[in-house]
């Protein structure tokens, strides 16, 4: 499961109240208010680093420019990543202490629960959907609530995890190949390829890494000849 349009759907007042429950230090609370309630899309003209026309292609529920007032945190900010865990700690507590689920994993707004039967998982799924809507003002993504046998593998944080082995997503392999073929020689290309190699090292990808390294080296040789 995951949360639909998570960062742009966070209720700023709910988030602030969660922080305020944990500290009475006025300096911390002042800084928390300054960060959470700052309207970065409108208060100060934002520095646009991409073509303005690209913003028009964003779905409305993915952009702070179209977010409801009082909703949303800027994606990518380190403070937003921290506050995401503060916000979803309520979900963690509900799953662990109310539903008493032992096999629960969460990374930001993506989470997995392992269970012994389809019916019990379906009950859990419905309970979580109701909880996040009632307590956090969030909606689980309607197309990303999947119950299936563990033998099918779990698509999570960039990997396909199966009982016997771990693979990279096909999309990741495709992006790696695309950058190997299209980025010009230089530090930027090398950094990108090194990043993919480091990610792939966490999976059973010896053959994949060898093939892509061979392709990358061949491209380098062809470019040097020309």
């Amino acid at each position: 499961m995951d949360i639909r349009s998570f960062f742009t759907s966070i209720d700023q007042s709910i988030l602030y109240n969660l922080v305020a429950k944990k500290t009475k230090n006025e300096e911390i609370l002042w800084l928390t208010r300054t960060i959470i309630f700052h309207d970065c899309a409108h208060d100060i003209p934002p520095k646009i680093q991409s073509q303005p026309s690209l913003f028009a292609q964003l779905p409305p529920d993915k952009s702070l420019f179209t977010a409801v007032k009082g909703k949303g945190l800027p994606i990518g900010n380190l403070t937003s990543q921290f506050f995401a865990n503060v916000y979803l700690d309520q979900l963690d507590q509900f799953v662990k202490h109310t539903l008493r689920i032992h096999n629960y994993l969460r990374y930001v707004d993506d989470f997995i629960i392992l269970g012994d039967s389809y019916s019990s998982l379906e009950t859990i799924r419905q309970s979580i959907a109701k909880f996040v809507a009632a307590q956090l003002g969030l909606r689980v993504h309607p197309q990303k609530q999947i119950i299936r046998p563990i033998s099918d593998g779990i698509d999570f944080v960039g990997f396909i995890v199966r009982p016997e082995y771990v693979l990279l997503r096909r999309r990741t392999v495709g992006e790696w190949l695309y950058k190997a073929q299209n980025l010009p020689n230089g530090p930027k290309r090398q950094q990108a390829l090194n990043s993919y190699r480091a990610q792939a090292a966490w999976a059973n990808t010896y053959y994949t890494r060898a093939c892509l390294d061979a392709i990358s080296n061949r491209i380098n040789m062809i470019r040097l000849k020309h």
Side-chain angles (χ1 to χ4, degrees):
M1 301 176 72
D2 81 358
I3 304 297
R4 183 168 190 168
S5 306
F6 173 59
F7 280 101
T8 54
S9 299
I10 290 174
D11 187 294
Q12 297 168 356
S13 294
I14 292 176
L15 174 58
Y16 176 75
N17 289 333
L18 290 173
V19 176
K21 286 181 180 178
K22 297 295 184 180
T23 180
K24 301 304 178 184
N25 183 297
E26 186 51 42
E27 291 182 343
I28 293 176
L29 293 176
W30 170 84
L31 181 59
T32 300
R33 289 193 298 271
T34 301
I35 295 172
I36 291 176
F37 295 112
H38 169 61
D39 187 350
C40 61
H42 302 100
D43 285 355
I44 299 173
K47 182 180 179 182
I48 305 297
Q49 297 181 336
S50 301
Q51 297 177 18
S53 60
L54 294 176
F55 284 92
Q57 300 178 28
L58 279 173
D61 60 344
K62 296 290 186 182
S63 173
L64 287 179
F65 290 106
T66 54
V68 175
K69 186 172 178 58
K71 296 271 191 175
L73 295 177
I75 298 172
N77 280 14
L78 292 177
T79 52
S80 297
Q81 296 173 31
F82 169 75
F83 285 134
N85 281 326
V86 172
Y87 205 73
L88 289 183
D89 176 67
Q90 302 302 296
L91 172 62
D92 297 341
Q93 301 304 321
F94 175 73
V95 170
K96 298 298 290 185
H97 299 296
T98 302
L99 299 181
R100 298 185 178 278
I101 305 300
H102 296 289
N103 301 309
Y104 165 72
L105 303 91
R106 180 178 66 81
Y107 181 78
V108 194
D109 66 315
D110 294 306
F111 49 97
I112 294 172
I113 292 172
L114 305 180
D116 295 325
S117 71
Y118 186 99
S119 59
S120 65
L121 288 171
E122 175 61 23
T123 300
I124 292 167
R125 184 193 67 78
Q126 294 179 21
S127 297
I128 288 175
K130 292 177 182 177
F131 175 83
V132 298
Q135 300 299 319
L136 299 174
L138 301 172
R139 288 194 302 159
V140 291
H141 199 296
Q143 276 79 50
K144 296 182 180 179
Q145 304 173 49
I146 303 168
I147 302 177
R148 59 187 175 194
I150 197 170
S151 57
D152 288 355
I154 298 172
D155 186 347
F156 192 57
V157 294
F159 297 94
I160 306 298
V161 182
R162 295 184 180 275
E164 299 85 11
Y165 54 88
V166 180
L167 299 174
L168 278 179
R169 284 177 178 163
R170 288 184 179 181
R171 185 178 70 182
T172 303
V173 175
E175 291 171 350
W176 185 352
L177 179 60
Y178 176 84
K179 291 188 177 181
Q181 292 174 327
N182 292 280
L183 285 178
N185 288 351
K188 185 175 181 180
R189 179 176 186 269
Q190 195 59 47
Q191 290 171 5
L193 298 184
N194 287 343
S195 177
Y196 282 109
R197 288 191 195 98
Q199 180 183 6
W202 291 95
N204 302 96
T205 56
Y206 177 83
Y207 180 73
T208 300
R209 282 179 282 159
C211 288
L212 286 168
D213 282 343
I215 291 171
S216 178
N217 291 334
R218 184 178 179 186
I219 291 171
N220 284 340
M221 293 179 63
I222 292 172
R223 288 175 176 175
L224 289 173
K225 288 180 179 179
H226 292 79

